[in-house]
Amino acid sequence: MINICETKAMQAVVYEGPFSISVKEQPKPVILAESDAILKVQVTGICGSDLHMYRGHQKTTTGHTMGHEFIGIVEDIGSEVSRFKVGQRVMPIFSPMCMNCWFCEHGYTNRCTNGPSFGSMALNVGQSEYVRVPYAESTLEAIPDEVSPEQMIIMCDIFPTGYYGAMKALMKLKNGRETAESIVGGTLYAPSVLQPSFKQQPLILGNGTVYAVDSVEDRLEEARKMGAIPLNLDTDDIPAIVKSVTGGRGADAVVESVGNQAALKLAFDVVRPCGVISSIGFHQSGFPFTGFEAYSKNIDINMGRAAVRPVFGEGLKVFAENQDKFADFITHRMPLAEAPKAYEIFEKRQARKVVLTL
Amino acid sequence: MINICETKAMQAVVYEGPFSISVKEQPKPVILAESDAILKVQVTGICGSDLHMYRGHQKTTTGHTMGHEFIGIVEDIGSEVSRFKVGQRVMPIFSPMCMNCWFCEHGYTNRCTNGPSFGSMALNVGQSEYVRVPYAESTLEAIPDEVSPEQMIIMCDIFPTGYYGAMKALMKLKNGRETAESIVGGTLYAPSVLQPSFKQQPLILGNGTVYAVDSVEDRLEEARKMGAIPLNLDTDDIPAIVKSVTGGRGADAVVESVGNQAALKLAFDVVRPCGVISSIGFHQSGFPFTGFEAYSKNIDINMGRAAVRPVFGEGLKVFAENQDKFADFITHRMPLAEAPKAYEIFEKRQARKVVLTL
């Protein structure tokens, strides 16, 4: 029910400025529209993209709650929400989507005109005890029985975002009018090769091989377990290796999921002429290549936030089938009160994935 | 037959530096490989992309022949060329392609590893009395009976390049995984709406409407006759108009065929979030938008030289069916000797299309 008079407080992870966060009181959210739901959060994740704000690269205000990955129990619900009920365990798909604007109606839920982002001044909830979820009917998903609730943190953003980035790249290769079917290598490009689609930078080669690029050995080892060939950004000559395994051409497609100029530059350097860059990293600055270079290489690039809703179902299916490979993916579990420490170790790459528990 | 001793001279349009060309002697080309053909040129066109060199924007050497649009009669032919015979009237498809390298084999004829470009130091022919055509078997096409030879100048580059640019944009809209079929508007996107695909900048809206942007009234009038809605770059507030006819969203797709930063910036400004920019203009400099802007708008952009070979057949069909609309497209016919004057009036936008006759 709508109750705009309630002004209780809750604990939340608040952005105070670069490298400065605190856990402090914020207003406990209440139902503001009949399409809202209020969740009592049980576990919330720190995403790689939260680091853009933490490091001060993302220009933003201060004083608001951070985060957009969380699992919670429905505590209150507006009258227009029929898919969920109080007491049910649910999770958001990345960011709120109204499903009524032109963009949502056409599948571009990533650019919903009406949905504010979690972890912002406009929607001051996320890594907090309670969350108001606008457009709950379309923004939330139930937690399936076969996946552990904690594991589903991975499905809030990083897995479906990586999945979207890889699918976008593969579709372009497959559907490119000038592309022979033979490039794609048939079933080699099935989702089974796309599992290393968390926040790393996979290079996809025409024979179905996936190379995963990172500078953290622990993450590269995870990628290797999932079937990718790991390349270390600090110690491997990545352009040379990619050239050597592609007859000098370069990778057919690169999924760039980091969101800085160095990563996009590497993607450009290793992709072959007429290849595809699928960039899902949250970019904050300029372009690391020129129009002349892009023309000369006939580059095909898509950029921006993933449209997770359209791929969530198939992404979840792949994730559920392979959840054993993610059994050790979350390396750190810390109470919400220790969020400053959790951000610190995650930023220093001392953790693969950190969740905060409540 | 191969004859590397012949050193006769011919007249050619030679690049001397920015805004400086001359018509002077160059070596008459001879067969250098059994896959070559020698053409005696009858008519040769000045392309908008020749102006990049003429204006000094394209960094290049001087002293070589310009041009890449020509119609000619086969005068001599290597033993490996079987599709054509001496005396036949033919034209090149844009630039030489070997059809044997990895790129050609996979349909990326625009990035053939072996084919040098006409109008360069590597292939010093084009707007000249004679042309050596490498890989003649795959680079040449016969002139169909139903189209006038002079008209086929339009098919050397500008029509199929525009066609490719538009098809690339439409395919991305159609095949975009997040795109509902309803965006595309069914048959409204058939090639019949794509006819203004010469060197202008069409904006493609979801309902099948095509807007053509140019600053030359004469060209805009041509675009109007072909079914596009003309917009004048100098007098129309193009972003405002596009917004007003799209409910504030912007164009679904923009085909950018100019090749400068201002054109690409306009394309970016008028395309809607999650829209498509298909850029076939020959870019010489930087990017007019940042990674942050591209991320925030979820842009999907392909850049680079058109792969004409894969779309030539269907492009020719559309062109032949609509050739009456191009009856007045070539506005100026001048002898090769008057090339300096021809470039001058074309550069000053006093001609829609100039051909040089021999």
Side-chain angles (χ1 to χ4, degrees), chain A residues 231-261:
Chain A
L231 295 176
N232 191 308
L233 198 56
D234 297 329
T235 56
D236 289 324
D237 182 345
I238 294 164
I241 291 169
V242 173
K243 276 202 163 186
S244 76
V245 296
T246 57
R249 288 191 305 277
D252 293 321
V254 183
V255 181
E256 187 284 301
S257 55
V258 178
N260 64 38
Q261 289 206 58

Side-chain angles (χ1 to χ4, degrees), chain B residues 69-307:
Chain B
E69 299 178 342
F70 45 85
I71 308 293
I73 303 290
V74 178
E75 189 182 78
D76 197 2
I77 201 156
S79 62
E80 292 173 7
V81 185
S82 61
R83 285 179 64 213
F84 308 101
K85 57 179 192 282
V86 171
Q88 190 172 358
R89 189 182 278 130
V90 294
M91 53 164 281
I93 299 186
F94 201 174
S95 69
M97 61 205 83
C98 73
M99 297 310 279
N100 281 316
C101 71
W102 187 92
F103 291 94
C104 281
E105 281 179 346
H106 291 82
Y108 306 117
T109 55
N110 45 342
R111 289 291 156 214
C112 172
T113 308
N114 300 313
S117 293
F118 293 114
S120 69
M121 203 56 98
L123 187 52
N124 182 23
V125 294
Q127 289 156 354
S128 49
E129 287 184 275
Y130 296 89
V131 169
R132 180 175 71 88
V133 179
Y135 309 111
E137 191 82 350
S138 43
T139 306
L140 291 177
E141 280 289 336
I143 308 288
D145 292 338
E146 67 271 26
V147 182
S148 89
E150 185 194 67
Q151 287 282 73
M152 287 299 283
I153 280 287
I154 299 171
M155 281 301 296
C156 290
D157 177 356
I158 58 177
F159 188 92
T161 287
Y163 188 88
Y164 169 92
M167 290 309 288
K168 194 100 176 165
L170 299 183
M171 278 170 45
K172 283 187 176 186
L173 286 179
K174 282 187 180 172
N175 294 326
R177 193 164 181 104
E178 76 280 32
T179 304
E181 273 301 302
S182 59
I183 293 184
V184 179
T187 55
L188 289 172
Y189 265 139
S192 61
V193 301
L194 300 177
Q195 289 149 19
S197 49
F198 39 88
K199 294 260 168 173
Q200 286 179 323
Q201 187 168 331
L203 311 172
I204 302 169
L205 305 184
N207 60 358
T209 315
V210 175
Y211 287 75
V213 179
D214 206 305
S215 57
V216 182
E217 274 299 338
D218 167 69
R219 293 181 194 170
L220 288 170
E221 179 55 23
E222 282 295 295
R224 194 190 60 73
K225 284 182 195 163
M226 293 182 191
I229 300 172
L231 294 176
N232 191 309
L233 199 55
D234 297 328
T235 56
D236 289 324
D237 183 344
I238 294 164
I241 292 169
V242 173
K243 276 202 162 185
S244 76
V245 297
T246 57
R249 288 190 305 277
D252 293 319
V254 183
V255 181
E256 188 283 301
S257 56
V258 179
N260 65 38
Q261 288 206 59
L264 195 53
K265 177 67 163 61
L266 179 63
F268 186 82
D269 288 343
V270 301
V271 79
R272 66 161 162 76
C274 302
V276 170
I277 298 176
S278 178
S279 170
I280 46 175
F282 186 6
H283 285 269
Q284 314 292 325
S285 52
F287 252 84
F289 47 89
T290 66
F292 175 73
E293 290 168 325
Y295 178 92
S296 302
K297 208 167 193 176
N298 270 77
I299 211 71
D300 191 338
I301 180 169
N302 62 277
M303 295 184 71
R305 180 195 281 177

Side-chain angles (χ1 to χ4, degrees), chain A residues 106 110-111 168 171-172 175 177-178 272 281 285 291-292 295-296 298-301 303 305 314, chain B residues 106 108 110-111 168 171-172 175 177-178 281 285 291-292 295-296 298-301 303 305 314:
Chain A
H106 291 82
N110 45 342
R111 289 291 156 214
K168 193 99 176 167
M171 278 169 45
K172 283 187 176 187
N175 294 327
R177 193 164 182 105
E178 77 282 29
R272 66 161 161 76
S285 53
F292 175 73
Y295 178 91
S296 303
N298 270 76
I299 210 73
D300 191 338
I301 179 169
M303 295 184 71
R305 180 196 281 178
E314 63 192 275
Chain B
H106 291 82
Y108 306 117
N110 45 342
R111 289 291 156 214
K168 194 100 176 165
M171 278 170 45
K172 283 187 176 186
N175 294 326
R177 193 164 181 104
E178 76 280 32
S285 52
F292 175 73
Y295 178 92
S296 302
N298 270 77
I299 211 71
D300 191 338
I301 180 169
M303 295 184 71
R305 180 195 281 177
E314 63 192 273

